[in-house]
Amino acid sequence: MMNTVFCQSCSMPMNDAEILGTEQDGTKNQEYCKYCYQNGAFTQPGISMEQMIDICVPYLQEDGMDEHTARHVLQKHLPLLKRWSSTNN
């Protein structure tokens, strides 16, 4: 059974190789999704974790979560991800 891998920037489940981000040489990046990481760099390099939460909330709402719950889940989960854990000094 395969474990679900989550993007280490936005926490999107990456169950399909099509979702994986890419390095400069075109190889797939196993840690970040294509929406966060393309051609070896973040698509939004200066973004804060709070801004990422604002971007992600509507997608969780589409999946049936209310805004308050979505925001709470993201505020708990995003700081654990690789992209954001290094900024929590």
Side-chain angles (χ1 to χ4, degrees), residues 25 30 69 80:
D25 63 5
Q30 302 295 317
T69 303
L80 305 175

Side-chain angles (χ1 to χ4, degrees), residues 57-68:
V57 164
Y59 294 103
L60 292 178
Q61 287 178 292
E62 282 178 17
D63 289 341
M65 204 178 280
D66 67 83
E67 181 180 355
H68 176 78

Side-chain angles (χ1 to χ4, degrees), residues 6-52:
F6 295 92
C7 174
Q8 292 297 300
S9 176
C10 71
S11 83
M12 173 189 276
M14 300 190 305
N15 298 327
D16 187 334
E18 291 298 309
I19 303 290
L20 299 177
T22 56
E23 298 296 347
Q24 280 188 312
D25 63 5
T27 59
K28 297 289 186 182
N29 180 288
Q30 302 295 317
E31 295 184 315
Y32 299 107
C33 75
K34 67 181 181 180
Y35 304 107
C36 291
Y37 194 81
Q38 294 176 6
N39 299 316
F42 288 113
T43 57
Q44 297 172 308
I47 195 171
S48 70
M49 188 173 66
E50 279 301 316
Q51 289 170 312
M52 180 61 77

